[in-house]
Amino acid sequence: MSDNLKQIHLAAHFPGVNNTTVWSDPEAGSQIDFASFSHFARTAERAKFDFLFLAEGLRLREQGGAIYDLDVVGRPDTFGILAALAAVTERIGLAGTINSTFNEPYEVARQFASLDHLSAGRAAWNVVTSWDAFTGENFRRGGFLAEEDRYTRAEQFLRTSWELFDSWAEDEVLADAESGQFLRSADAGTFAHRDQHFDIAGRFNVPRSPQGRPVIFQAGDSDQGREFAAATADAIFSRHSAPEPGRAFYQDVKGRLARHGRERDDLLILPAATFVLGDTDAEAEERAHEVRRSQVSGQTAIKFLEHVWNRDLSGYDPDGPLPEIDPDTGEHTVTRGRASVRMVRDPLATAAEWRQRAKAEGLSIRELVIETSARQTFIGSPSTVARALNDSVQSEVSDGFILAPHLVPGGLDEFADTVVPLLQEQGVFRTEYEGTTLRDHLGLRTPKG
């Protein structure tokens, strides 16, 4: 590998419940069958990716009071999938999203410590929060947590989990048959924690795992979320993959590390990215256009618009102009369980901006939705995509990318077979795994117990 160029980190996101995934494509497979997960993981491992990533959904999405089934519906349990994948892979990291709002630290720490043992040190935890009472209805505490408290609970949840992980020393298990002594210390697993959200004490029952603690991911984008990541995370799953916003995000978050006593390499920035390949750039552009049309049907375009308008717009023609009526700015009741709705802070301003753009560029509703929601990050021949991806990393847009193909399970195969070898030839991506744990792959230190 080159000593002068940054090494690229690559991960594979098993696509889930959004319109990025074209489940209706004849080449698409099941989102549930383990064969899909194993194919996807084995492809990523064959390409020497750092890790496989799973998102989380805690309630079926609804729109207009009905299940939203234009996208994939349903998602199996994260720990079950990752544990099964640990048995059919050897090196690739296994990252899962687990919510800190509706779970408890003891249970989650026990599950991740177990996964780290089962995978011989390949576990990662994407720590997320939940804000809405709609999702909370699936849990015994409902929407009990005020939005302003969610990161406080998340940080206390994470620090409590760390105490549990660290309650076992690295050499705690002696297992001396001659003396009959199994543990080195009588205090193994002892913990006691009390703060605003948690008051627990006892003994943690999973010995220290190969990585000590799982690798910690965070995905928040607010000021509070960025600060939480700078203080606690090993990597950020960012949405800023384009050069200008990506570079600004990179500099902002890396600049926060020093005040938490951390160095710039202690936190990796890994944006989500999509791609479309072709034998030539022109062919890739043509395929990308076809993929966008598949991702955004006429029905999907209208439903997407309802996320902003907070109104029933089913009477509108997706191939016609945007509605002249303004969004309903009251309580959002049309779309339930979709986090992206919260990104529209000012619906009236968003509607005005979209109308102006649609008029200036002559876009229909569907065409506007494609332009605002379905643009692929990397489009081109393998050499074009390899060059663009490497340029992004070398110019500090990111430290790498978490790639989400539009097809399951074979959507990653072409990238693995054509783009990865070019990155390897350029000396910016590994040809073999050099370590055994995910922390080895990411260049992260193992916490001391």
Side-chain angles (χ1 to χ4, degrees):
M1 292 184 178
S2 170
D3 294 330
N4 300 318
L5 297 174
K6 284 178 62 178
Q7 293 299 301
I8 297 171
H9 294 287
L10 290 178
H13 182 185
F14 189 93
V17 290
N18 53 56
N19 71 307
T20 301
T21 308
V22 184
W23 59 265
S24 58
D25 190 291
E27 295 184 18
S30 169
Q31 299 275 333
I32 304 296
D33 289 351
F34 182 65
S36 291
F37 290 99
S38 62
H39 177 107
F40 197 76
R42 283 169 165 150
T43 300
E45 186 170 63
R46 172 167 60 81
K48 315 302 179 188
F49 276 30
D50 293 76
F51 60 93
L52 175 144
F53 182 89
L54 294 183
E56 182 186 51
L58 297 177
R59 180 163 178 169
L60 298 184
R61 296 167 174 173
E62 296 181 8
Q63 188 140 340
I67 291 176
Y68 186 87
D69 65 352
L70 293 175
D71 298 345
V72 171
V73 176
R75 183 148 41 187
D77 175 70
T78 295
F79 282 113
I81 298 168
L82 295 183
L85 289 177
V88 299
T89 56
E90 295 181 349
R91 293 293 187 89
I92 191 165
L94 302 168
T97 303
I98 296 294
N99 194 282
S100 63
T101 303
F102 302 118
N103 288 299
E104 295 296 327
Y106 189 94
E107 183 180 19
V108 170
R110 186 165 178 264
Q111 289 168 315
F112 270 111
S114 299
L115 179 62
D116 207 40
H117 277 291
L118 289 173
S119 63
R122 296 185 281 140
W125 173 15
N126 181 34
V127 185
V128 298
T129 65
S130 184
W131 80 98
D132 65 326
F134 173 74
T135 300
E137 289 174 355
N138 268 359
F139 299 86
R140 62 186 171 85
R141 289 181 175 174
F144 76 100
L145 191 64
E147 182 172 351
E148 59 270 23
D149 291 335
R150 61 195 179 110
Y151 274 111
T152 304
R153 178 180 166 94
E155 181 161 359
Q156 293 175 354
F157 192 113
L158 182 57
R159 295 196 182 282
T160 306
S161 299
W162 282 347
E163 290 180 31
L164 298 171
F165 293 133
D166 294 344
S167 64
W168 286 73
E170 293 178 18
D171 60 350
E172 199 74 74
V173 178
L174 183 61
D176 185 341
E178 186 172 340
S179 68
Q181 184 180 0
F182 192 83
L183 296 180
R184 190 177 299 278
S185 167
D187 295 329
T190 302
F191 69 91
H193 181 97
R194 176 174 295 171
D195 61 31
Q196 176 187 354
H197 290 285
F198 307 108
D199 184 1
I200 59 175
R203 288 182 184 271
F204 189 53
N205 65 352
V206 185
R208 192 166 181 81
S209 68
Q211 294 189 112
R213 305 168 186 167
V215 173
I216 300 299
F217 283 79
Q218 211 276 323
D221 193 41
S222 65
D223 183 73
Q224 199 176 7
R226 294 183 189 200
E227 201 63 23
F228 175 45
T232 63
D234 297 306
I236 293 183
F237 182 19
S238 157
R239 65 184 177 89
H240 302 292
S241 58
E244 187 174 339
R247 205 168 287 115
F249 181 83
Y250 189 97
Q251 295 301 330
D252 176 76
V253 176
K254 294 273 185 174
R256 295 171 185 249
L257 292 170
R259 62 174 170 263
H260 297 286
R262 308 181 71 198
E263 300 177 2
R264 286 174 67 86
D265 291 341
D266 288 342
L267 179 66
L268 302 175
I269 311 298
L270 303 174
T274 55
F275 62 90
V276 176
L277 301 171
D279 289 340
T280 64
D281 289 351
E283 181 183 309
E285 288 287 354
E286 186 175 338
R287 289 177 68 180
H289 177 74
E290 294 171 1
V291 170
R292 289 175 209 148
R293 298 283 293 181
S294 299
Q295 291 170 324
V296 182
S297 67
Q299 289 176 295
T300 298
I302 294 298
K303 296 298 184 187
F304 185 89
L305 219 60
E306 290 180 352
H307 300 169
V308 176
W309 260 257
N310 192 25
R311 292 174 180 271
D312 177 5
L313 301 177
S314 57
Y316 282 81
D317 178 1
D319 295 318
L322 268 68
E324 291 296 332
I325 59 172
D326 283 332
D328 181 347
T329 57
E331 180 186 0
H332 205 300
T333 56
V334 171
T335 305
R336 313 292 298 275
R338 188 180 287 272
S340 59
V341 171
R342 300 176 71 250
M343 295 170 64
V344 183
R345 299 293 184 186
D346 186 343
L348 292 175
T350 299
E353 178 189 337
W354 284 1
R355 286 195 195 105
Q356 186 176 18
R357 179 174 179 181
K359 183 177 181 180
E361 299 179 25
L363 302 176
S364 68
I365 290 175
R366 187 180 184 188
E367 290 166 338
L368 177 84
V369 172
I370 288 173
E371 291 299 315
T372 56
S373 71
R375 299 291 300 182
Q376 294 88 356
T377 312
F378 298 107
I379 303 170
S381 67
S383 60
T384 296
V385 169
R387 185 168 55 251
L389 199 153
N390 187 37
D391 287 346
S392 292
V393 172
Q394 302 308 327
S395 64
E396 296 194 331
V397 172
S398 73
D399 294 306
F401 290 94
I402 299 176
L403 299 171
H406 68 276
L407 288 179
V408 167
L412 200 63
D413 296 26
E414 187 178 8
F415 188 97
D417 294 333
T418 62
V419 179
V420 168
L422 296 175
L423 296 174
Q424 292 169 332
E425 288 177 10
Q426 295 173 35
V428 294
F429 191 66
R430 69 173 65 86
T431 55
E432 293 294 340
Y433 290 108
E434 296 177 356
T436 59
T437 71
L438 178 54
R439 288 186 180 278
D440 291 335
H441 306 340
L442 297 173
L444 298 170
R445 288 173 287 191
T446 300
K448 294 186 180 300

